[in-house]
Amino acid sequence: MKSAAGMAAGTIAPRVGLAANGGLSIPSDIRSRFPRVGQETYLNAAGMMPLGDFSIEGLRRHEAYQQLGGGDGRGEYVRAMQTGIRGLFADLVGAEEREIGLVHCTKAGEQIVLDALSAEFAGGKGVVTNDLHFAGSLHNLLGLQESGLSLKIVRAKDWKIRVEEMVAAIDGDTGLVSISLVSNINGHIEDIRTIADAAHAHGALLFADIIQAVGITPVDVRAMGIDVASCSCYKWLYGVHGTGFLYVRHDLQGTRLPDRLFPGQARHNYAPWVSDPDLTQPPILYHEREDATRYQPGHVSYQGYCAAYEGLKFLAGVGVEAALAHNVRLNRYLLEHVDAARYRCITPDVDRSPIVTLLAADPGDAIRRLRASDAVVSYSDGRIRVSPALYSNEADMDRLAEALG
Ligand SMILES: Cc1ncc(COP(=O)(O)O)c(C=O)c1O
């Protein structure tokens, strides 16, 4: 399979060429803000969101700041991003700003909770997950299993996780339940509140990978009972790789989830470091952080976060509900225009999911057809994952349906 730079593994490489601006349903200014959709039929936002002009502007503003210094408002912009971005994300997921930290990717967030619970795992507690959790996370958990972690992986039946099977798998030996709120495989949405309640009833915590949810489906960490969550910004938050968010419920910080590293600066409290040492205090001072930034090792990609900052502002203007409604409408439109006998929909809840996945009866034929088109979707083992976004329209779906025959 061909691949293009920056494209997720398994993505069908496009034949660049076809203009894609025929739709009427999205205001033309939104579509024109994503130049990539003028180049190809891009239906892979769940793989990587193409950069919008607003995100590019954020990147440029940080570049100018680092190149030219803080004059002419450049420093103010970067400071506003640094002080505002955690709050913007907190608003999006129903959290408090003190519950949000910055991590470089989703799995880094999941690893923080795995590391923090290591003593519980050493004492015999285990992890419950399922096979629609991100395969990269499953791989990590299998690696940890090699070194002794007890792991249960519930299997989907006909591409759907039965919540009662998750609940039955959770017991007094469970330390953590780790799941993807929205599956990248087929857009399956977990019955997260029921799973969280089962975890909590047994004293376990719930980690949610929210990368395929946040920014495109409503996420409310408190209403959903999520204890820890993380995501990267390069999908539904309109940002770039290397930037992401971590949510840790406040009462768990530094208690049930102890720090594994201690960011901050030691301060010397003796001469000649200070002229007036405080003799009631130790010679070198340590200050524990009191918010989720306590899990951050050090500096992050401030430039990358400028893209996400603009993305979050853009999203606040559009609204997650509107973005989801748009996707659901387009996904349903696609399903009406493809041959269901040749392309079976394996997304359990098309009316709520941003993603629709089709299982090709003849995978070889499907690959050939996709390669001959300019459609960019994700393809793996006969599964064609389609993920439109605000810039998409019916004409994109018509082209994909036509390509699939
Ligand atoms: C459900 C899910 N989790 C995680 C990731 C990526 O993880 P990370 O942000 O750690 O690179 C993806 C990317 O495709 C995903 O779809």
Side-chain angles (χ1 to χ4, degrees), residues 105-107 134 180 184 209 211-212 232 234-235:
C105 70
T106 320
K107 266 175 74 178
F134 177 50
S180 295
N184 64 304
D209 170 334
I211 192 173
Q212 297 292 2
S232 285
Y234 62 90
K235 299 183 192 280

Side-chain angles (χ1 to χ4, degrees), residues 8 46-48 104-110 132-137 179-185 209-213 230-236 241-244 355 385:
M48 181 177 70
H104 73 272
C105 70
T106 320
K107 266 175 74 178
E110 187 176 21
L132 288 183
H133 190 20
F134 177 50
S137 291
I179 51 177
S180 295
L181 175 54
V182 174
S183 166
N184 64 304
I185 303 294
D209 170 334
I210 56 173
I211 192 173
Q212 297 292 2
S230 61
C231 65
S232 285
C233 298
Y234 62 90
K235 299 183 192 280
W236 306 101
H241 288 95
T243 57
I355 291 168
R385 186 190 68 192

